[in-house]
Amino acid sequence: MPIHRAIEPGAAWTELVVTDADWDAASAELLTAMLSQLVLIRTFEEFVLDLAAKGLIHGPAHSSIGQEGGAVGSCISLTSRDTVNGSHRGHHQFLAKVLTHLHPDGIDPAKPVPEDVREALLRTLREICGLARGFSRGRGGSMHLRWDEAGAIGTNAIVGGGVPLAAGSAWAHKHAGTDAVAVSYFGDGAMNIGSVLETFNLAAAWSLPLCFFVENNQYAVSTHIAEVTAETRLSGRGPGFGIRSWKVDGMDPLAVHLVLQEALEHLRAGRGPVLVEAEVYRYFHQNGPFPGSAFRYRTKEEERQWRQRDPLDTVARHLVRRGILAQEDIAGCIQQAKELMAELGEVILEPKPDGKPNEKRIKPQEWPDAGIVDEGVRGDLSELAELPFTDLGDHAGELVESSFIGAIAGVLARRMETDPRVVVMGEDVHRLNGGTNGATRGLSERFPERVLGTPISENAFAGLGGGLAMDGRFRPIVEFMYADFMWVAADQLFNQIGKARHMFGGTGTVPLVLRSKVAMGTGYGSQHSMDPAGIFATAPGWRIVAPSTPYDYIGLMNTALACDDPVVVLEHVDLYQSRGPTIADDYDHYLPVGKAAVRRRGSAITVITYLAMTQYVLAAVEDVGIDAEVIDLRWLDRASLDWDTIAASVQKCNTVLIAEQGTQGTSYGGWLADEIQRRLFDWLDAPIERVTGGEASPSISKVLERAAFAGTEEVAAKLRQMAEV
Amino acid sequence: MPEILRMPEVAANTTEAVVSSWNVSLNTPYAAGETIVTVETEKAAVDIEAEAEGTLLRLLAEEGQTVAVGSPIAVWGHPDENQDAVDALVAALDLPAGSTVGGDAGNESPAEVAAAGAAHDGAGTASSGHGGRIFASPIARKLAAEAGLDLAAVVGTGPNHSIRRRDVEAALAVSRAAGASDSGPDTGASPPPARQETGPVAVRADFEDVPLSRMRQAIARRLVDSKHSAPHFYLRATVRVDRLLDVRRELGGDAGAAVTINDLIVRAVAVAHSRVPGLNVRWNGDSVRQYRHADIAIAVATEHGLVTPVVCGVDTMSIGQLARRTRELIQRAHNRRLRQEELEGGSITVTNLGMFGIEEFAAIINPPHAAILAVGAASQQPHVVDGELQVATIMRLCLSVDHRPVDGATAAEWMRELTGILEHPVRILA
Ligand SMILES: Cc1ncc(C[n+]2csc(CCOP(=O)(O)OP(=O)(O)O)c2C)c(N)n1
Ligand SMILES: [Mg+2]
């Protein structure tokens, strides 16, 4: 008979319960400050629901009415340096953080609402209505509320999507040498999504000052928590990751406050992340002004019982009980908030012309100018204005032959040496003498704090990098061992990192570099052999560089690192062992954004290519003996493409071939062909031709793999065919 | 409301014209019918008259600037028009600085090209009389259009016989070679410049490449087009013109009009046309146009190049009227004051190099005419009549004919009529 020994989790898991004695011990200032926030947030949200009922909110209005206790109780002891983010249901957290930022010592409920609070509420209302003078110029709306200055770093419409970003913020707090913390709010539904669970692990592994704050309101839209998880005690998730965890009654703001006191002490002492599960209840349905019971997934009785635990009433009751405020004071405070909201409504609304009595509309001048629709997808590159751009021909220095992989390790080392903001992370980047390919050789010995071997959690560490980039104090270089893993991290790459700048109004920066390895030809098969260029080219926000020589790698990496936009640097394994001229001992040169390289001059056919395919195209051109002009694009994204070089070549040759190695479906050249025929139609003498791989992803078997992607032979065949027609 | 004045399409199928002078000043009221601006096409200067009274408020094209047809050249309106309205109107045009300047089409933005295309829609259809669609690559179309080459006459070697760039270049090379073997100033049309190839060129300073004037370009294009698309055949004849010279001498004293030999020949052509209408035609591509009157172009060599004003209704004119009208047209041709419509129409050109002592030459048909009559010098020569040697004044004629609308026999009949008329000049006056 085997023996069973009970195992205790390493991290504590407790429930904190307050008593009347705690209420008696709480300071009057704390309680009145809580009351003011609760009243302002509640009244604000009621007003928003009222607008929603009148059809004046475009999109969902996810109210948190009923849940304010968790937000107010937690935010009230944060400083402005502490950061918070949240999810689709984030009005209450955003406002609680903003109000605490504006008035850290509390807002007196007996006094008129301060002017700066009025301004912040108006700006929030404008954002929720999608208006020009909202925090994000009306682009974000209810689900994307950000005010960096207040430490509110942005709410998120992807369930769980903001959590890895908060880890980036926490990493920055820690490594900037501060004791600030990050709080990430999310719902019970988010507890089951990978990005959250991955981030639990990552934050605990790296001991980040991050508070995971789950508002367990028992429902994800209409789905009850018990239907989707066997362990409904969500704070139980923490100990499994080594995270100190609490459960608390979120309807009780004081209880939440007391938990946060303990949690903050833990966080600020550098003891790693915490998990707080606050039991709350939203009185209304997922969105809009109707209760959940109207949709029959719960009962009126259940709602009634929760309403008896209302956080606002609870605080008011104790204030009256302790004689700090009279009932009339509280009524007056609520009345004043209602009047304020009505007045703010007047600012943005007007009677609808020809409408029914009392029918309102948004004042036309409040809407954003539709002309800004694409503004700020990327930055204007002004941050690069002072850089000394050079190309290989411009240097006086001695030329030496270098290996491509040496150029990577060399430039990364040089940048880490000169710029303490540069952080490298990825799987095994710290071991194996420079990761799986030697690209990070020597870095972890020299910069152990900034070379981070990650867990296998592409979504979490890409997102952490994204959060770090948005924070602005660091310049992360995230490495993906294989390009195909971008699908694993797709939410963070495309929904978060790529869209963030634009979505939050176009001004924030996201200086992230993603090194992504293209490995077709190495026998790693269907899931390790993609070229991601075509996918990144469809994603707004990203810039793409594809260096094909050691010199270009150095120049492009330096520019990518200096750029305030996310840049994916494509690396091809075929190039790692290649050699080429570089400038002796110079890792400080920059290649300009949007400048392609003409690798061969010719007048018969313009061949447009990039990355490793460049060398195969050049070989094919020699083979066939055709006078082709070969353009190595270097920059592939829509905003950085070198149209001058392309146009000049097409006008000369009149015939175009776009050549790339990867599969048809995700190939890059389709949009480019479209754009070329649009811009240069009158100069074309034949349809634009393309070389790509096949439909299927390359297989493991060597012959099948070679048949699946394109190289010299395919290009040569196409060139011959084009020459014959 | 201020309004836009756009470059008019002063001649069918012109795509651009030069603003040669603004004839009223900015902010100075003008009356309806007053000439506002003179624009110059390849062949003519055209006065644009005001449709209504008004004032020029803003010039959008300078003198000397080439402007695409349909593009704005000025804003006009009431003298006291609101400046903001003018600004708004100009802003709405969204003109990049200098965008109305033509030149290298490669520099035009897609929007400009589209706008220009839209402006030409009406005219474009008129020229597509060739039946089915011609498949040609975009660059082939562009090069052909620049060279005035009709794609219908080009054989395509691309997929499905589509016309590729190389086909247009080959066609242009052929017409260049053909052009070189024809003689005479009429045929001196050089082919359009081949697109410049880059590459090392040995530079020697013993020549100068004179840039093409607009007129030279037009001549080149039209005549290449003619040689290329109109299959020429040539009929030669010798006429004895002693009596014609007598008649001219007699008419010389006629009031106000010194009649020239050429006038008499033009008149003779009109009579021949009425006798053999089969030559008074033109090729339309899908039909043959039969003219009812004799509209005859005369080739005038000016210092700027060759122009061919048309004398309309020669068949209805007295010889005196014809002489006056001809003299006036020639005068204005030298002064570059011909109007576009005076350069259009007709079925035949009369060209005469007799004053240079040229005995005989073959000319290239001036499209869309069906024929051109080349007239040589009149000179005394031995001449045999009924086995007896005489001294006679002889003139040689060469008629170039477009074989598409006219067969050899018709042309020969016409030529016989013409020589008969010239040798019996009373018929001219009939
Ligand atoms: C990844 C993802 N899947 C689905 C949705 C659609 N969606 C938005 S909110 C929501 C429910 C979220 O429930 P929970 O996390 O408990 O938050 P609550 O609404 O209760 O605050 C769902 C399914 C989404 N936005 N993102
Ligand atoms: Mg929930």
Side-chain angles (χ1 to χ4, degrees), chain A residues 67 88-89 157-159 187-190 193 217 219-221 282 286:
Chain A
Q67 298 190 183
H88 60 289
R89 192 175 315 286
I158 300 297
V159 167
D188 48 286
I193 198 164
N217 63 12
Y219 293 92
V221 190
R282 60 167 153 79
Q286 161 83 349

Side-chain angles (χ1 to χ4, degrees), chain B residues 230-261:
Chain B
H232 287 50
F233 67 90
Y234 306 92
L235 301 181
R236 295 186 168 78
T238 302
V239 281
R240 181 171 184 174
V241 291
D242 294 289
R243 291 167 74 179
L244 193 70
L245 294 175
D246 290 344
V247 166
R248 197 204 68 151
R249 225 168 285 122
E250 283 161 29
L251 287 171
D254 197 13
V259 175
T260 65
I261 281 285

Side-chain angles (χ1 to χ4, degrees), chain A residues 695-712:
Chain A
E695 185 182 1
S697 198
S699 307
I700 298 278
S701 162
K702 195 164 183 169
V703 276
L704 294 177
E705 179 190 50
R706 179 60 193 86
F709 65 79
T712 306

Side-chain angles (χ1 to χ4, degrees), chain A residues 603 651-655 678-686 722-725, chain B residues 104-106 110 113 137-140 142 157-159 163-166 195 198:
Chain A
S603 57
Q651 286 170 9
K652 176 169 55 169
C653 303
N654 311 127
T655 316
R678 217 170 279 290
R679 294 184 186 223
L680 298 165
F681 182 76
D682 273 335
W683 295 94
L684 293 173
D685 199 22
M722 289 175 78
E724 271 162 22
V725 168
Chain B
D104 187 357
V113 174
S137 74
I139 187 72
K142 179 177 157 73
T157 64
I163 299 169
R164 303 279 305 261
R165 173 185 173 159
R166 59 177 176 247
R195 286 178 352 98
T198 43

Side-chain angles (χ1 to χ4, degrees), chain B residues 238-297:
Chain B
T238 302
V239 281
R240 181 171 184 174
V241 291
D242 294 289
R243 291 167 74 179
L244 193 70
L245 294 175
D246 290 344
V247 166
R248 197 204 68 151
R249 225 168 285 122
E250 283 161 29
L251 287 171
D254 197 13
V259 175
T260 65
I261 281 285
N262 212 59
D263 295 336
L264 291 169
I265 295 170
V266 169
R267 174 74 198 168
V269 167
V271 177
H273 266 11
S274 64
R275 303 225 174 133
V276 186
L279 201 78
N280 191 11
V281 296
R282 91 171 218 202
W283 178 247
N284 279 342
D286 49 5
S287 63
V288 173
R289 179 171 302 170
Q290 175 69 59
Y291 289 100
R292 299 208 174 87
H293 287 289
D295 299 343
I296 300 165

Side-chain angles (χ1 to χ4, degrees), chain B residues 43 45 300 302 304 307 309 325-340 342:
Chain B
K43 287 204 159 186
V300 183
T302 72
H304 319 290
V307 287
R325 173 74 178 143
T326 304
R327 208 169 52 184
E328 182 217 356
L329 285 173
I330 292 172
Q331 188 69 46
R332 285 202 282 117
H334 285 295
N335 297 338
R336 302 187 89 174
R337 302 304 299 176
L338 288 174
R339 291 194 306 276
Q340 183 64 34
E342 292 172 329

Side-chain angles (χ1 to χ4, degrees), chain A residues 101-133:
Chain A
H101 162 69
L102 291 173
H103 294 272
D105 298 327
I107 299 165
D108 187 342
K111 294 218 177 106
V113 178
E115 184 53 30
D116 54 359
V117 170
R118 181 187 178 280
E119 276 306 306
L121 293 176
L122 177 57
R123 234 176 133 187
T124 311
L125 185 65
R126 280 183 162 136
E127 187 57 40
I128 289 170
C129 291
L131 307 183
R133 278 175 286 175

